[in-house]
Amino acid sequence: MQKQLQPSVAPASPRVLAIGLDAPNHDLLVQWIGQGHLANLQALQQRSSQLIIESRKRYSNEHCWIPMLTGQSRDRWNHWLDHWNTETYAFSEASIFDWIKAPLFYALGDQCRVISFDLTAPVVANVSGIQVSGWATELNECYPLSSPPEVLDTLLSRYGPDPKLTDSHAITNRLSNHRGITFAIPSLYQQDQIEHLVESQIRSIERRTQACLDLMAEEPWDLFLTLYSEIHTAGHILWHLSQPHPLDTLRPDDADPMLRVYQAMDRSVGELLAAVDDSVTVVFYTVDAMVPDCLENARAVFLPEFLYRWNFPGKAALAEGDPSVAPPSPSHDYRQHWKHEVWRLRTRTGDRELQSPAELEAREDPMSWCPASWYGPLWPRMKAFAMPSVADGYIRLNVVGRESAGIVEDADFVAVCSDLAAEISRLVNPRTGKGVVREIIRVRDSAFDLDPKDPPADLIVVFREDCPLDVVDSPLAGRIGPVPYFRTGSHQAHGGVLQNLMYIRSVDIMPGHQSGVARLEDIPATLLALLGQVPAADFDGVARL
């Protein structure tokens, strides 16, 4: 009798659910998982292969999403895509939605059906599936988009907008001309505003999770990517209510608002895990890191005001103090957005000479929040000035023949840089008596060395990160401050090593710690390997399975 053949069954295509966590504090996350505060992540950890990821930043604003989205090392990228117009003295900040130039690792065409929900990523071509960007991103410069375009409208009608956008206004990026949205960070000093922020972040997590669950159920996918950016926002704004900080006296009794946001994320991760069976490989990863902030006031207030006083001896524009007396106890009487409270500290001279944040906001300037921008009308009259920055302090010299109204001769460029660096290095925190500057980097030896890989700044001021800062003294410029704190959590130190983690839960991979240390660019390489896809030839990352 002839043996009856059974019909062959094609093996199911591999499917991967990748859940990202944006900028947690690594040690705190590991601690809370180990203590059982994040029960779903603890359970996932126990069933997963575990890997530590390390990366080093040359500058504190190098973006961790470059290697994560492209699989390419940051070393081969031009990180300085902010633009300086030497004719008009206009500074324009590049947005991550515009400056990633390499293909995204999941732009795989018809080889893979992808759903990318609200990563810190642009919407790009050659992705078969759905992309949503800018729905509830952490970024203050947000440009909501989707592909197909109607998906975003459907999501907004079903789940509503990002809850933290109750206090928001329009912005326009000068480089791309894209119109977007920015939100106002609440006052750190007001419990009602902070509680509103905590609740909005928890609602954001819940809405994000429900949108993901619906997309997972309604749409076909091989790779599902999502990101909890609320952890990033919580770290910036709630650090002082969870961890040691000069403002930790404002913490509610027996409460940890930042932990509440982490636990809302953990519950949601549990819901996503419950929605897939064991045939789906789960990858949980973290990108970037949060630490106590010691930089915001230094780069955004103290540096530009010091340079104003250095240029115009005997004058002060903001936060004039008396260095002959001990600094007053920090005030807690700040109800408005930080930029408005700092603007209230302007002198009569500053009121005449600076452009107000309201003027910049009316022009939809994304940097209206940054006091360095307020000095913009004065830059043509200054020998050197602070450029707006979200990282280290940036100083540009006003050079004859380079800038349209140049003052500093090229022959004097190095000498002025050296003199200025010496004075800035003398800035002191009068509360501790310690200097506030760790290092000053001269970017170029000649004003006309215009390597596009270099920043537009001529000097980069790297501030110490051992103490939050609300006031500084200078032998030359006097006292600046005290000023309120803007954010109490910030990003990893200049030159520091970031630690992140990756868990891989798969029936084919043994749980436990992997040996060695991975890199951020290894995350996309690993995801592609799990999907059975071959990375592009220019990938720097390798699969860690």
Side-chain angles (χ1 to χ4, degrees), residues 84-110:
W84 172 248
N85 189 314
T86 57
E87 290 295 318
T88 64
Y89 291 76
F91 173 85
S92 302
E93 181 190 28
S95 165
I96 187 173
F97 297 102
D98 299 307
W99 55 244
I100 290 185
K101 303 302 182 185
L104 303 191
F105 79 91
Y106 52 85
L108 300 168
D110 294 335

Side-chain angles (χ1 to χ4, degrees), residues 211-521:
C212 288
L213 291 170
D214 289 348
L215 286 169
M216 290 166 67
E218 296 170 4
E219 300 288 339
W221 55 274
D222 303 306
L223 173 62
F224 194 105
L225 297 155
T226 192
L227 176 75
Y228 285 98
S229 61
E230 294 82 5
I231 298 302
H232 191 147
T233 303
H236 274 314
I237 302 173
L238 304 177
W239 186 272
H240 64 295
L241 302 180
S242 174
Q243 303 302 306
H245 188 275
L247 294 185
D248 58 16
T249 55
L250 298 175
R251 178 176 173 175
D253 293 338
D254 302 319
D256 189 332
M258 193 161 77
L259 176 59
R260 284 177 58 196
V261 178
Y262 273 68
Q263 289 178 319
M265 171 275 300
D266 181 73
R267 291 192 297 271
S268 288
V269 168
E271 292 183 61
L272 296 182
L273 297 179
V276 298
D277 59 34
D278 286 344
S279 68
V280 176
T281 298
V282 174
V283 176
F284 176 84
Y285 64 92
T286 66
V287 175
D288 212 338
M290 194 66 61
V291 295
D293 173 66
C294 303
L295 302 179
E296 293 284 4
N297 283 332
R299 67 193 175 209
V301 181
F302 300 142
L303 188 61
E305 177 61 17
F306 168 84
L307 285 163
Y308 175 86
R309 299 183 190 184
W310 178 79
N311 277 276
F312 307 115
K315 297 172 70 174
L318 275 181
E320 187 174 25
D322 182 358
S324 67
V325 298
S329 299
S331 173
H332 291 172
D333 187 24
Y334 302 111
R335 290 203 59 86
Q336 299 184 79
H337 184 282
W338 175 78
K339 68 181 178 184
H340 299 306
E341 294 290 358
V342 175
W343 180 245
R344 286 177 57 191
L345 300 176
R346 67 194 183 279
T347 65
R348 290 184 179 180
T349 301
D351 191 52
R352 290 193 305 270
E353 296 196 330
L354 304 183
Q355 58 185 346
S356 73
E359 293 176 69
L360 292 168
E361 193 172 306
R363 297 204 298 267
E364 299 187 356
D365 190 323
M367 298 297 285
S368 67
W369 62 271
C370 182
S373 299
W374 306 348
Y375 297 80
L378 301 171
W379 292 343
R381 295 166 42 203
M382 299 171 72
K383 291 192 297 183
F385 47 86
M387 308 180 95
S389 169
V390 296
D392 303 307
Y394 294 165
I395 298 175
R396 178 87 174 184
L397 270 62
N398 191 10
V399 178
V400 175
R402 188 179 70 173
E403 274 72 28
S404 60
I407 297 173
V408 177
E409 295 290 343
D410 182 36
D412 298 327
F413 176 79
V414 172
V416 174
C417 284
S418 298
D419 291 346
L420 186 53
E423 284 296 341
I424 294 171
S425 296
R426 299 171 71 190
L427 290 171
V428 170
N429 179 352
R431 298 197 188 279
T432 65
K434 294 181 179 180
V436 304
V437 175
R438 192 183 92 189
E439 180 184 8
I440 299 178
I441 301 167
R442 193 172 77 234
V443 174
R444 49 184 61 85
D445 293 326
S446 166
F448 294 92
D449 177 3
L450 303 179
D451 187 335
K453 291 185 178 180
D454 288 333
D458 294 315
L459 295 173
I460 296 177
V461 182
V462 183
F463 293 97
R464 290 177 53 168
E465 299 185 79
D466 54 1
C467 182
L469 193 62
D470 72 332
V471 58
V472 295
D473 282 355
S474 160
L476 176 74
R479 174 165 295 168
I480 308 171
V483 300
Y485 291 104
F486 180 31
R487 304 186 296 194
T488 51
S490 189
H491 290 293
Q492 189 77 23
H494 177 300
V497 176
L498 278 77
Q499 283 202 321
N500 294 105
L501 57 79
M502 179 166 60
Y503 299 159
I504 306 173
R505 190 190 77 182
S506 170
V507 294
D508 300 320
I509 300 175
M510 186 72 68
H513 290 279
Q514 289 191 37
S515 60
V517 174
R519 302 167 298 166
L520 284 171
E521 51 265 39

Side-chain angles (χ1 to χ4, degrees), residues 71-148:
Q72 295 184 358
S73 167
R74 282 182 294 222
D75 294 340
R76 64 158 83 189
W77 277 68
N78 175 4
H79 303 287
W80 309 103
L81 296 179
D82 295 338
H83 181 69
W84 172 248
N85 189 314
T86 57
E87 290 295 318
T88 64
Y89 291 76
F91 173 85
S92 302
E93 181 190 28
S95 165
I96 187 173
F97 297 102
D98 299 307
W99 55 244
I100 290 185
K101 303 302 182 185
L104 303 191
F105 79 91
Y106 52 85
L108 300 168
D110 294 335
Q111 300 176 65
C112 188
R113 179 79 179 177
V114 177
I115 298 179
S116 169
F117 186 79
D118 214 23
L119 301 187
T120 307
V123 171
V124 299
N126 204 35
V127 174
S128 177
I130 291 174
Q131 300 172 77
V132 176
S133 181
W135 172 71
T137 176
E138 173 276 337
L139 296 171
N140 271 26
E141 190 172 342
C142 172
Y143 304 93
L145 293 169
S146 70
S147 176

